Structures are given as structure tokens and as C-alpha cells.
Amino acid sequence: MKTDNDLRNNLKSIRTRLGMSQQELASLAGVTRQAISGVESGQCAPSVATTIRLAKALGCKVEDLFWLEQDLPQVQAVLAKSIPYSQQQRVSLARIGGQWIAYPLVGNDAFRMEMISADAQIDSQIDTNTCLVRLLDDIDRFENTVVIAGCAPVLSLWARAAERWYPQLRVQYKFANSMAALESLCRGETHIAGMHLYDSQTGEHNIPFVREVLAGKQAVLITLGIWEEGLLVQSGNPMQITTVTDLVEAKAKIINREKGAGTRLLLERKLQEEQLPCDSVKGFDSIARSHHSVADAVVSGLADAGISTASVAAAFGLEFIPWHSSRYDLVILKEYLQEAPVQQLLNTLERRFVHSQLQIIGGCDTSKTGDLVATI
């Protein structure tokens, strides 16, 4: 196999999405593992016979795997957030409500546990919110993308499970707290917003917030699960903390979440119930921007306690004191319900594998998973 500088491929992304190792794919295609590695890295251009074998092994078309760089089109996209202009800026793409949305892969947005591959690069900026991007893959692949915004770790579990049944489906998970996710949905930057906000005045989860933020828009709320929220402390609970009063009396340092997060509202509500001011809790203004960051702070000793979920506590080996059962809902604009990738993703909520993935993490009740709880 020779090198072809104009030949591009997404062999690795399709292979890993199907859960195959390089050796497994090599065996199916009748080539060596070194050949697979060379093709994925772009160091080798496969023969016609090899490209056909690879496409057959992965259950896709040759043109889904390989393309020439000069064949890549340009599309106009709306930036999900303002950034300093850079012609080489990496972005991920999704089509929402008839327009392309470009998500800059900058800072923490460029990473999960590994670096996120780019869909396109910015060629030029038309104005503050609009740009021309050059695609790095076939446009059909991006058409079948559904974007979810939320802060629940279970969203990524659901996304990966859905991609097992629909290999051409691509689920992009954008991290955002409940209110930020809802606002992103309102701006047309995401298909689905995940949220777990409780309104103490009405005794309802999520619905009052959706009505307020999405005023004038039609949406549905579908339950993903009901999870336990509460206090995370060191194993054995050495400070014997179970209430917010205990936090204050023990002078325990807490790690909090940012405004708009459901667990921050839970802490504020508990303080209000005990008639305690926010500044009576040490560390109230110390902010972690994700559930796992809260757990990290407690595990490392940077904080004595934090508010998160039973599943996160279990994952980090921390003690958990339950405070509230919270319903986690998926909010979807009605106009998106007929889009094929959204339908495919929602169809998987009935799958037993999805339920088992949510149950096994602990503290998540799936008896209402997939239930339509409200139409706004």
C-alpha cells in the first residue's frame, strides 16, 4: 500500500463505534492489524480490494469510509458560542431546525476523557455569529446527528447504547447544567435538553422551568429516570454529617455547583428549610462544574462534602446521604420529534439494555423511563 496525501478516511471512528479492535477488523477483512493501523493513520492507501473488504466488514459503503480532500464541501453554520476568529478552529457540527450549528472545540469543550475529533474547520467568518466551515467528512454523516445538552453522566451511557442499534446514528453530548441546557434548546443549539430542576412552590419537577424558558415554543418532556440526589462524604462519614445543620455545626467545607444546576438548588432549598443563610456553609462559593468534579473534590480532600447523585457516589466509592428523589426529564421541541436521528434515539428508551445500564450505576429508578410526562 502506498501513501496518498489526498485520501482521507474515518475508519477508526466507525470501527470504535462498533466496538471492534484493530485485530478484530483485520481478521474480518482478511488483512493484517498493521495494515489497519496504517490506513487509520493515513500512512497507507489501501487497494481497491482492501477498501471493499473493509466496507463489507463494517457494514457500510466504500464512500462512507474513504474520500478525497478536494471533494469536501463548504456549508454555512451558526456558531453555538462566540470565539476569537481562527481559520483553523476545530468545530463539531449538527443540523438543527434546518440550519447547521457549529460547536467550537475549545478548552474543556474539546475533551471528554479523550480528545474529540473535528467535523470541520472554519474557513472564514461572515459575521459575529456565522461562518463558513470546510467539512472533514461526508455531509451525510452529519445529517444523522442528534445533540443532547445536560449534566447527567447517564446521558453518555444512553448515547453509546443507542449507537449500538443504529450504527449510522451519531449522538453528541454537550455538557451543560439543567438551566443552561434548557436555554441552549431555546436558542436552537441542541435537539434535547436534559434537566432535573425542582420547583418547591408547585412541587413539580422541570415543567415550570420549561414553561418559563420556552415561552411560545411547543415541547414535550420525556422521563429518562428518577435518581437519588444528596450529600457525598468520605467513606464511613467521619464527620457524621447528614443535614445542612450538621454541615454548619461541624464547620465542614462543601464544594458547590454553579447557578442553574439542580444540585445547587437542592442545597439552597435545604438551607432555606432550616432557615440558614447561604454564607453559613463553609465553601458555599467554591464551585465545581460537573458531578464528577464534585466527587473528585471530596475524594481528594479539597472538600468534606458535596451535593450529587447516588450513582456518582458509588462510582467514586463515597458515602451517600439521600436528600431528594429527582425526576430527570428530556425536553424536546415538537418540531424535532419527526427528525430521523431524534426518533432513533428515543426509540432506544424501551430497550432492556438501556434500562440495565441506568440501573447498574445505582440510585436510578427506570420504572418511568420513556414516559411522556408533559406537553408544553
Side-chain angles (χ1 to χ4, degrees), residues 1 16 65 71 107 114 117 166 171 192 207 219 264 270 281 306 345 364:
M1 291 188 290
T16 55
L65 286 176
D71 293 337
E114 59 184 20
S117 59
Y166 298 100
V171 183
I192 301 173
I207 296 173
R264 182 188 180 99
K270 288 292 183 180
V281 178
L345 181 61
C364 185

Side-chain angles (χ1 to χ4, degrees), residues 237 276 327:
N237 196 2
L276 293 168
R327 194 182 73 226

Side-chain angles (χ1 to χ4, degrees), residues 255-272:
I255 185 76
N256 202 358
R257 287 290 305 280
E258 74 279 13
K259 291 181 179 179
T263 49
R264 182 188 180 99
L265 289 179
L266 174 58
L267 176 59
E268 292 175 349
R269 188 168 75 249
K270 288 292 183 180
L271 287 167
Q272 187 176 25

Side-chain angles (χ1 to χ4, degrees), residues 286-353:
S286 297
I287 301 300
R289 299 196 176 273
S290 69
H291 288 282
H292 70 265
S293 295
V294 170
D296 264 336
V298 178
V299 167
S300 66
L302 293 175
D304 299 310
I307 312 297
S308 188
T309 68
S311 60
V312 171
F316 282 82
L318 295 170
E319 190 115 349
F320 179 74
I321 295 93
W323 277 3
H324 179 69
S325 291
S326 180
R327 194 182 73 226
Y328 195 95
D329 289 334
L330 308 167
V331 188
I332 312 154
L333 295 185
K334 283 187 177 180
E335 62 192 90
Y336 299 155
L337 288 175
Q338 301 306 312
E339 296 189 12
V342 175
Q343 288 183 344
Q344 290 176 345
L345 181 61
L346 294 178
N347 285 344
T348 65
L349 288 175
E350 303 300 323
R351 298 277 186 170
R352 183 169 63 180
F353 181 74

